[in-house]
Amino acid sequence: MPTNGAAGLSEREHALCRAVERRRDDLLADLRLHVGLPTGGNNAPALDETRERLTDRLRAIGATVELIPGDPRPDWLYGQSASGPIPPTAVCRKRSKRGDAPRVLFVGHLDTVHDPAGPFRELTISADGKTATGPGCVDMKGGLVILVAALESLVEAGIDAEWTVVFNSDEETGSYHSDAVLAAEGAKHDAGLVVEPALPGGALAIERMGSGQFCLRTYGRSAHVGRDFTSGVSAVTALAGCLVAVAEMSDPEVGVIASVGPLEGGTVTNAVPDRARAWGNVRYATPEAAALLASRLDALATPADVLPRVEVLRSFNRPAKPLTPGTSALAELARAAAEGLGQSLPFTKTGGVCDGNQLQACGLPTIDTLGVRGGGLHTPEEWIELASLVERCQLLGVVVSRLSEGRLKV
């Protein structure tokens, strides 16, 4: 999209947009490069290379880089036993020359959900050149590409800004390794920007539900089904009762959702099973809804000396992200920037969660769908609208420029 004639932009914002436009070919090449690095499944070599490439570019424009060791995840989470090494979180800082600029915090995740050994491995451009498919191309390789390019373009245009970029490697599995870093950095800044992909139509998410994980473990007594059935106590039957109770907890109309996914129970058909377990996910629109779900799950637990026994493990790690005055003001600033560029930026809400939930829980005004446009997230059809590389990069740059001027009024 041409920007030289865009109304509502200052001269330095025009210079910024031209700097981004000059990077058009580089943006696509960079996207191809990063999509080709298979960062799903906690694939350490690809995560390390991605992190190094991105942090080296930020060092080149004056940022300092610190790698912070990650914290362990709860050992009962589904798939934890195969999670591999704990990745570090990169924290990159660039100070303002004037020393009193608003402090902007960016967060981008390096990981995807795609199998690093699977067949979906590279960026493929459509015949008309308007879209492309590739693992993580929108979630969030495209976001990472435009983030770094926007910060480089700000420097090229002579726009002074103070920012911190956090690159974590575990957002798709709950950000347990990086949660402490997100909380610490969120408390130090004035505005939070996360480059998750835009919602349909380029929309900006201004409200999100919260999310939590839980595990139900049931214990019984094993016995031979034919010879000694009455001595047995079925852990599977106990788990089934719990699953019925969980199914009755949901009330989507008031923002309360509980769902059970993977199940395990027993090892053979001719023995009463003495162990069973299930993993699930909850969503909640408010802190009150989270407390209600927590109390209902906890009520399923039984005393340790009674069979069948039920154990409940839970981690409500993503707080709900309601619309706050600070986030509303930040969203309006972004909308004005989009309109100055001739873009539209509708607002909406979503049941999805991201690192923006954690940042806003620290009291930081945060908008978190400033990434590229596309769809098919987490599927082998994941696609990106290629024009959004330049357009959303320009939008991100103008938002940062205006934040650096102190335009955010809360």
Side-chain angles (χ1 to χ4, degrees), residues 7-95:
L9 296 184
S10 68
E11 284 303 315
R12 72 176 193 165
E13 288 170 349
H14 280 303
L16 166 65
C17 290
R18 289 192 293 269
V20 172
E21 176 64 35
R22 287 192 290 271
R23 287 170 165 78
R24 180 178 292 273
D25 292 343
D26 291 338
L27 284 166
L28 180 56
D30 209 23
L31 180 66
R32 190 187 301 277
L33 167 68
H34 284 285
V35 166
L37 292 171
T39 55
N42 197 23
N43 183 20
L47 287 168
D48 291 345
E49 181 176 350
T50 300
R51 189 184 307 110
E52 183 176 359
R53 285 179 176 274
L54 296 175
T55 56
D56 280 353
R57 287 175 63 180
L58 295 185
R59 280 193 185 96
I61 57 172
T64 61
V65 177
E66 180 182 9
L67 296 184
I68 300 177
D71 295 320
R73 301 168 68 207
D75 61 7
W76 54 264
L77 290 174
Y78 187 72
Q80 171 62 15
S81 61
S83 65
I86 296 177
T89 298
V91 179
C92 313
R93 304 186 196 279
K94 186 175 187 298
R95 299 301 187 193

Side-chain angles (χ1 to χ4, degrees), residues 209-262:
M209 297 183 80
S211 174
Q213 313 299 323
F214 66 91
C215 179
L216 305 173
R217 292 175 175 171
T218 56
Y219 305 87
R221 181 186 302 115
S222 184
H224 191 281
V225 169
R227 296 188 176 194
D228 198 21
F229 177 73
T230 57
S231 295
V233 177
S234 173
V236 167
T237 300
L239 180 61
C242 292
L243 300 185
V244 171
V246 170
E248 295 173 347
M249 294 179 187
S250 294
D251 188 351
E253 293 299 318
V254 297
V256 175
I257 297 172
S259 177
V260 175

